[in-house]
């Protein structure tokens, strides 16, 4: 058992060390003017001027727009799901929200191109519609399901005795929610927002497709700030997802400044993730609850109005899901034909996606085979071997790894595996880059399951004189495997839709064989990068049709993985997950 534990610890720590080491060595490979990087708006590599302020501004603006729209809707929808709807209705709606949260970001980017960008162009009278506002709207749609799903978990975890005690005092449902439920769930709901913020900060591809990627746009007055919202901009992730990381080489001030932007982005995401997952004192929540437990006037009327608002908030994600499925089903299925399923791609001019489906399944399967022992070992380390303080530190590190922008993983994989090791673009390099996406999910779900194991099981096993290895093999593994498999499927559902890391390490548009005959210089084709390439040719109807068809296939693969994970979760963990 120890080799798995060691492998798990090395896998989590190794990713951080490689990532930070890659960025750190990149920064040290050339002179970086840090003050200019954070305060200078101009980015001009020709004149060796590397200012990142406009990109930091762009990242801040799109995140503020996304949070301003997603937080009130997400919180209200979560309260309606948890506190107002009956379980029979809430259960399928919750699963629908989880399905929305697992939709690959490239699909959101495609919808942004086809729906959000034209809407902004019409509203703002801006040709094309590429703008910070369009990027913020796409991010708002992306993070709303995350906020709803995590907030529902936090609300469902509040013991019923708090609600029963509040109802016994004669409080209305709104007052019970406000004074008894929300104070207990506040920490988890705040975590939902900050995890959504971490996703918005780290998202590259969906923003890349709609933001316009214009350098140096920084307003100097309030009027220019408002005007800048409907004009093209640039963010930290879109700068890193563009061609410049490859053009910058592997040393010098240009490459060092690119790595400096990566460190700034990693620091922002890590800060948001750690802040969102930190624990707070329950005493503060109780004190707030006592202060808020003051009935006011017109309680019944206010109760009905708030209930309508909260239930109405569910209409947005519900309408979003229905609209997304309708668009995917109508536009995606239009591309379906026998040749679509069983022939190779021939560029945007025609052909099918059989090679992309095989390549995607190869990447997902290889990633799963590598991630399962590593993630399980890390979960056992967190749940069994680590002391309380060490477990909290390791869990925080694992959460930070899970929130690492995948564009940074792709850049690190490109430099280390593809360039330094000489693999070139390779299917195995792509699978290795996807492993850090899956391992933290497996580790956290396994550790959570082990942490909830009844104490009497441990006491009974130890009273029989079992060694630690026998205890883990005979008791912990049988108890934890459903959560491990669930985490693996959830992680693979996310990995199946990753685009940015595969662009740098593993895939080509078309022409590669379906199954590679080696490892070195052996690229494959995959659905996410295929959609990304086709979606940039939005003026070609055939390319657009192929993109929608590929998106529908990718969503079907993701939905199958997620459905199996939810079924396993419900089967083995009971009503705690389903109500």
């Amino acid at each position: 058992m120890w080799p798995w534990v060691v492998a798990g610890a090395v896998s989590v720590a190794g990713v951080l060390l490689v990532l930070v080491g890659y960025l750190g060595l990149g920064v040290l490979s050339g002179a970086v003017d840090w003050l200019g990087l954070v305060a200078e708006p101009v980015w001009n590599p020709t004149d060796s001027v590397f200012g990142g302020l406009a990109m930091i501004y762009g990242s801040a603006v799109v995140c503020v727009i996304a949070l301003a729209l997603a937080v009130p809707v997400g919180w209200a929808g979560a309260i309606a799901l948890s506190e107002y709807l009956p379980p029979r209705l809430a259960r399928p709606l919750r699963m629908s929200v989880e399905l929305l949260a697992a939709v690959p970001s490239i699909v959101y980017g495609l919808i942004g191109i086809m729906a959000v960008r034209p809407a902004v162009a019409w509203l703002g009278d801006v040709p094309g519609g590429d703008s910070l506002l369009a990027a913020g709207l796409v991010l708002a749609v992306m993070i709303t399901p995350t906020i709803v799903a995590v907030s529902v978990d936090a609300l469902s975890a509040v013991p019923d005795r708090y609600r029963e005690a509040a109802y016994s005092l004669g409080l209305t449902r709104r007052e019970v929610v406000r004074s008894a439920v929300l104070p207990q769930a506040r920490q988890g709901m705040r975590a939902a927002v900050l995890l959504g913020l971490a996703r918005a900060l780290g998202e590259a591809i969906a923003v890349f497709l709609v933001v316009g990627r214009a350098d140096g746009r920084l307003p100097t007055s309030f009027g220019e700030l408002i005007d800048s919202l409907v004009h093209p901009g640039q963010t930290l992730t879109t700068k890193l997802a563009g061609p410049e990381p490859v053009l910058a080489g592997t040393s010098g001030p240009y490459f060092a400044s690119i790595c400096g932007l990566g460190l700034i982005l990693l620091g922002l995401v890590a800060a948001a993730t750690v802040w969102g997952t930190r624990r707070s004192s329950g005493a503060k929540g109780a004190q707030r609850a006592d202060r808020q437990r003051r009935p006011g006037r017109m309680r019944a009327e206010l109760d009905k109005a708030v209930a309508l608002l909260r239930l109405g908030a569910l209409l947005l994600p519900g309408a979003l899901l229905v609209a997304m499925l309708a668009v995917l089903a109508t536009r995606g299925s239009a591309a379906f034909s026998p040749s679509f399923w069983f022939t190779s791609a021939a560029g945007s001019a025609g052909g099918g996606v059989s090679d992309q489906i095989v390549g995607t399944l190869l990447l997902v399967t290889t990633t799963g085979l590598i991630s399962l022992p590593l993630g399980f070992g890390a979960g056992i380390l967190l749940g069994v071997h680590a002391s309380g303080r060490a477990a909290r530190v390791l869990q925080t590190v694992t959460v930070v790894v899970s929130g690492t922008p995948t564009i940074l993983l792709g850049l690190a994989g490109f430099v280390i595996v593809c360039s330094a090791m000489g693999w070139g673009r390779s299917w195995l390099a792509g699978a290795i880059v996807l492993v850090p996406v899956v391992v933290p999910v497996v580790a956290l779900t396994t550790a959570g399951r082990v942490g909830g194991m009844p104490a009497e099981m441990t006491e009974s096993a130890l009273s029989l004189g079992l060694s630690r290895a026998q205890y883990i093999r005979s008791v912990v593994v049988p108890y934890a495997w459903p959560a491990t498999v669930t985490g693996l499927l959830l992680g693979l559902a996310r990995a199946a839709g990753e685009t940015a890391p595969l662009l740098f390490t593993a895939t080509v548009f078309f022409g590669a064989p379906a199954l590679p005959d080696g490892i070195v210089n052996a690229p494959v084709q995959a659905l996410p990068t295929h959609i990304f390439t086709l979606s940039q040719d939005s003026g070609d109807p055939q390319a657009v049709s192929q993109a929608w068809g590929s998106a529908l296939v990718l969503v079907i693969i993701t939905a199958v993985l997620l459905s199996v994970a939810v079924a396993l979760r419900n089967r083995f963990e009971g009503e705690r997950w389903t109500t």
Side-chain angles (χ1 to χ4, degrees):
M1 194 60 61
W2 275 106
W4 281 16
V5 175
V6 173
V10 169
S11 66
V12 174
V15 171
L16 273 184
L17 290 176
V18 167
L19 189 59
V20 176
Y22 154 72
L23 295 175
L25 291 176
V27 168
L28 295 176
S29 70
V32 178
D33 179 5
W34 286 101
L35 181 61
L37 194 61
V38 298
E40 169 64 49
V42 178
W43 180 272
N44 187 352
T46 304
D47 297 331
S48 298
V49 178
F50 303 106
L53 182 59
M55 302 160 211
I56 297 173
Y57 165 77
S59 296
V61 168
V62 298
C63 288
V64 168
I65 293 173
L67 291 178
L69 296 174
V71 171
V73 174
W75 276 357
I79 293 172
L81 270 177
S82 177
E83 306 299 325
Y84 286 85
L85 293 180
R88 287 187 178 180
L89 185 57
R91 195 174 302 163
L93 285 176
R94 182 181 175 184
M95 185 173 175
S96 301
V97 170
E98 290 174 335
L99 177 61
L100 271 176
V103 170
S105 59
I106 185 63
V107 177
Y108 284 109
L110 185 60
I111 292 175
I113 289 177
M114 303 304 170
V116 177
R117 207 168 59 174
V120 172
W122 178 71
L123 290 173
D125 194 21
V126 180
D130 287 326
S131 61
L132 295 174
L133 178 61
L137 292 173
V138 170
L139 285 178
V141 173
M142 284 183 61
I143 68 174
T144 297
T146 301
I147 294 174
V148 174
V150 179
S151 296
V152 167
D153 284 338
L155 291 163
S156 300
V158 176
D160 285 339
R161 64 177 182 273
Y162 288 94
R163 298 177 179 84
E164 294 165 359
Y167 279 121
S168 68
L169 295 175
L171 301 184
T172 64
R173 176 172 292 186
R174 175 185 60 84
E175 292 165 345
V176 169
V177 171
R178 188 189 66 178
S179 61
V181 178
L182 291 182
Q184 299 297 324
R186 180 175 287 112
Q187 177 67 25
M189 297 177 73
R190 188 184 66 180
V193 174
L194 292 170
L195 290 175
L197 173 61
R199 184 177 184 188
L201 278 170
E203 177 52 41
I205 296 302
V207 177
F208 184 91
L209 294 173
V210 299
V211 79
R213 307 190 302 278
D215 287 329
R217 298 289 181 87
L218 194 67
T220 57
S221 65
F222 182 75
E224 290 184 8
L225 186 151
I226 299 300
D227 187 60
S228 71
L229 299 182
V230 292
H231 285 86
Q234 184 78 278
T235 68
L236 289 168
T237 52
T238 56
K239 173 60 73 177
L240 294 172
E244 293 194 52
V246 177
L247 298 175
T250 56
S251 64
Y254 191 4
F255 181 66
S257 298
I258 290 286
C259 290
L261 293 179
L263 278 179
I264 293 172
L265 176 62
L266 182 61
L268 291 174
V269 173
T273 305
V274 172
W275 181 263
T277 54
R278 73 186 182 90
R279 297 180 178 181
S280 66
S281 170
K284 292 182 179 179
Q287 290 170 5
R288 292 191 189 100
D290 290 338
R291 288 199 302 268
Q292 293 174 356
R293 200 170 294 151
R294 290 177 299 183
R297 300 176 180 177
M298 301 179 65
R299 297 167 59 200
E301 292 78 5
L302 190 57
D303 211 61
K304 291 179 181 177
V306 171
L308 288 175
L309 282 175
R310 286 170 174 166
L311 291 171
L314 277 176
L315 294 177
L316 184 58
L320 178 64
L321 177 64
V322 172
M324 186 178 296
L325 292 178
V327 170
L328 280 171
T330 54
R331 304 200 63 171
S333 61
F336 287 179
S337 66
S339 62
F340 179 82
W341 291 101
F342 301 112
T343 62
S344 301
S348 60
V353 294
S354 62
D355 293 350
Q356 282 78 9
I357 295 174
V358 173
T360 301
L361 295 177
L362 174 65
L363 289 168
V364 169
T365 303
T366 308
T367 302
L369 292 174
I370 300 173
S371 302
L372 180 58
L374 297 178
F376 181 75
I380 295 298
L381 174 66
L382 288 171
V384 178
H385 289 282
S387 62
R389 186 180 182 84
R392 286 194 293 274
V393 173
L394 289 174
Q395 191 164 1
T396 300
V397 172
T398 306
V399 172
V400 170
V401 170
S402 70
T404 301
T406 54
I407 183 65
L408 298 180
L409 297 175
L411 290 173
F414 170 74
V415 172
I416 296 172
V417 180
C418 300
S419 298
M421 295 174 61
W423 284 17
R425 289 191 178 183
S426 164
W427 61 276
L428 186 56
I432 291 173
V433 168
L434 291 178
V435 166
V437 176
V438 180
V439 166
V441 184
V442 179
L444 293 172
T445 52
T446 302
R449 177 74 170 174
V450 173
M453 192 166 62
E456 54 267 27
M457 291 181 66
T458 302
E459 294 168 358
S460 300
L462 296 179
S463 66
L464 295 175
L466 299 181
S467 65
R468 181 57 66 96
Q470 291 171 327
Y471 161 69
I472 292 175
R473 185 173 58 249
S474 304
V475 179
V476 176
V477 172
Y479 187 82
W481 77 264
T484 303
V485 175
T486 300
L488 179 66
L489 292 172
L490 290 173
L492 291 179
R494 180 187 169 192
E498 288 294 342
T499 306
L502 298 182
L503 282 172
F504 288 99
T505 59
T507 61
V508 293
F509 179 38
F510 72 98
L515 289 174
D517 55 2
I519 294 176
V520 177
N521 293 318
V524 292
Q525 302 169 71
L527 288 168
T529 52
H530 191 66
I531 300 167
F532 174 73
T533 307
L534 292 172
S535 62
Q536 296 185 83
D537 194 9
S538 57
D540 183 350
Q542 191 159 356
V544 172
S545 176
Q546 287 287 92
W548 281 112
S550 303
L552 181 55
V553 175
L554 183 58
V555 169
I556 291 173
I557 293 175
T558 305
V560 169
L561 290 171
L562 183 65
S563 299
V564 175
V566 172
L568 281 174
R569 189 180 67 185
N570 294 344
R571 168 68 178 80
F572 290 101
E573 299 199 2
E575 291 300 309
R576 182 171 65 86
W577 290 88
T578 58
T579 59

